[in-house]
């Protein structure tokens, strides 16, 4: 892809023509039905944001034991597939394109939510409470995955990818970040295995690599991205050698010709970011760590991300609070603030589908709407 700081210019992602360089990052919002099926609220939510160059829909579990929190989406039954088809149809009708993130929580789960004992690379519990249908509960000690569990989970990811394509997604993003199952295999404190999936960096990256390879085999590598979060401690993970770990992972993956590599909270000033950009031959999606959510801050961070070698820029909360984010950035219009009170665990349209958009043409009415957005 041609490097540019003009993030509103058209871009290309494999076979996809994108109208701009902005990606709506996956955001967990807990608005699905209890069984993981997308709802009418979600159809509206994603269609409202179809002007993004690409939408990566929230993490969806490839099997029942992979569910993290209540009301999280899934993609392992016919009902899930049909529910997601309603979402992709609405987004496509509005001119958009979607990938679906495949996410297995591993130890970030609870029997009160799933009825199942969580699984993980090693029996090391999440060092904090976790939200369940009964409120926050002490995390459960997960069951160490057997060789059969590993094989079955890899197969579940591949099957979920096939379902995603059937549901109308252009592709999928394998979630190997933020302390979820694949990241748990990467991290030294959560992976204490002594078999072929633990120990050295090359063995700890094996599971993430095999999942990604199986998904690529299932639907084609040009439909597959992977998300990583080097040096992240989210959900209690701790990496012992970030540079060596991700060098080993990307060395295993770079020959696949994947659609993209997605870096969480990318800081161009860090050495690991520069080394990953230099060593990754394909499309890189940068996700800037924003210090503020003003038009000026989002514009500055997006341009800096592209100037530092990213091909596309993923934004989360700016898209959440601004269904017409692309237009607001084009006009230099103020952005709606995020209402954190309604971010997760609350359900409903409030703080989800009720963020105001700008009027089609600037007018006195639209200025009133903007003033209301500033104090919302």
């Amino acid at each position: 892809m041609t490097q540019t700081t003009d993030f509103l210019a058209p871009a290309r992602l494999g076979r996809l023509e994108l109208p701009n360089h902005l990606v709506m990052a996956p955001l967990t919002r807990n608005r699905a039905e209890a069984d993981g099926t997308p709802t009418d609220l979600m159809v509206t939510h994603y269609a409202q944001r179809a002007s993004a160059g690409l939408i990566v829909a929230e993490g969806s579990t490839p099997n029942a034991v992979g569910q993290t929190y209540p009301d999280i989406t899934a993609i392992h039954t016919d009902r899930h597939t049909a529910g997601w088809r309603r979402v992709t149809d609405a987004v496509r009708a509005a001119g958009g394109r979607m990938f679906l993130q495949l996410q297995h929580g591993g130890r970030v789960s609870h029997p009160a939510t799933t009825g199942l004992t969580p699984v993980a690379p090693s029996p090391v519990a999440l060092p904090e409470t976790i939200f369940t249908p009964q409120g926050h509960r002490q995390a459960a000690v997960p069951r160490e995955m057997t060789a059969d569990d590993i094989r079955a989970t890899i197969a579940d990811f591949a099957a979920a990818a096939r379902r995603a394509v059937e549901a109308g997604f252009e592709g999928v993003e394998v979630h190997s970040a933020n302390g979820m199952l694949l990241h748990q295999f990467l991290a030294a404190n959560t992976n204490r295995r002594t078999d072929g999936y633990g120990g050295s960096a090359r063995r700890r990256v094996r599971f993430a690599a095999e999942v990604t390879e199986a998904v690529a085999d299932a639907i084609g590598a040009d439909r597959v991205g992977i998300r990583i979060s080097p040096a992240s401690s989210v959900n209690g993970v701790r990496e012992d050698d970030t540079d060596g770990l991700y060098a080993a992972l990307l060395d295993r993956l770079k020959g696949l010709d994947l659609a993209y590599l997605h870096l969480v909270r990318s800081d161009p000033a860090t050495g690991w970011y520069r080394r990953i950009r230099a060593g990754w031959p394909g499309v890189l999606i940068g996700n800037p760590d924003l210090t503020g959510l003003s038009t000026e801050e989002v514009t500055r961070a997006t341009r800096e991300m592209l100037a530092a070698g990213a091909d596309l820029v993923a934004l989360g909360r700016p898209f959440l609070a601004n269904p017409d984010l692309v237009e607001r950035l084009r006009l230099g219009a103020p952005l709606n603030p995020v209402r954190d009170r309604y971010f997760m665990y609350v359900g409903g349209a409030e703080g989800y589908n009720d963020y105001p958009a700008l009027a089609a043409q600037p007018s006195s009415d639209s200025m009133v709407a903007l003033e209301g957005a500033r104090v919302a």
Side-chain angles (χ1 to χ4, degrees), residues 280-332:
W280 181 251
V283 171
L284 183 73
I285 299 179
N287 170 224
D289 193 4
L290 297 169
T291 57
L293 294 179
S294 68
T295 304
E296 295 75 18
E297 169 65 8
V298 173
T299 297
R300 180 198 60 77
T302 299
R303 286 175 173 161
E304 287 183 356
M305 197 82 260
L306 292 171
D311 297 292
L312 301 170
V313 179
L315 300 170
R317 288 174 179 247
F319 268 114
L320 164 63
N322 298 276
D324 56 347
L325 177 66
V326 175
E327 181 67 1
R328 287 175 184 264
L329 295 179
R330 185 182 71 80
L331 295 174

Side-chain angles (χ1 to χ4, degrees), residues 104-320:
H104 190 303
R107 70 175 187 166
V108 185
S109 184
H110 199 281
T113 301
T114 65
L116 302 166
T117 300
V119 297
S122 300
V124 181
L126 188 73
E128 55 200 56
T129 61
I130 185 169
F131 190 79
T132 76
Q134 290 81 47
H136 281 276
R137 301 276 295 272
Q138 186 64 41
V141 176
R143 177 174 63 80
E144 180 171 311
M145 294 174 71
T146 66
D148 285 344
D149 290 329
I150 288 173
R151 284 190 290 270
T153 303
I154 292 170
D156 287 342
F157 269 92
R162 286 189 287 269
R163 282 188 176 276
V165 172
E166 181 183 346
F169 288 97
E170 302 289 352
V172 301
E173 176 178 282
V174 174
H175 193 20
S176 186
N178 296 346
M180 297 301 168
L181 180 63
L182 275 64
H183 199 185
Q184 292 161 30
F185 270 87
L186 299 178
N189 69 320
T190 49
N191 184 346
R192 301 178 181 177
R193 304 176 73 95
T194 57
D195 63 1
Y197 291 92
S200 69
R202 288 200 170 275
R203 288 200 297 228
R204 277 185 283 136
V205 306
R206 179 180 169 188
F207 180 66
E210 289 182 353
V211 166
T212 308
E213 289 163 353
V215 169
D217 284 344
I219 62 172
D222 64 329
R223 291 180 178 269
V224 180
I226 183 171
R227 195 181 204 212
I228 60 174
S229 56
S232 171
S233 59
V234 174
N235 286 313
V237 296
R238 187 180 68 251
E239 300 165 2
D240 60 350
D241 177 14
T242 295
D243 285 342
L245 188 67
Y246 289 95
L249 177 62
L250 300 187
D251 185 60
R252 177 83 179 254
L253 296 179
K254 63 186 180 183
L256 294 179
D257 198 20
L258 297 175
Y260 63 79
L261 173 68
H262 184 176
L263 287 180
V264 177
R265 292 191 169 181
S266 316
D267 182 353
T270 59
W272 61 258
Y273 171 84
R274 292 192 295 268
R275 284 186 285 275
I276 286 175
R277 174 65 283 185
W280 181 251
V283 171
L284 183 73
I285 299 179
N287 170 224
D289 193 4
L290 297 169
T291 57
L293 294 179
S294 68
T295 304
E296 295 75 18
E297 169 65 8
V298 173
T299 297
R300 180 198 60 77
T302 299
R303 286 175 173 161
E304 287 183 356
M305 197 82 260
L306 292 171
D311 297 292
L312 301 170
V313 179
L315 300 170
R317 288 174 179 247
F319 268 114
L320 164 63

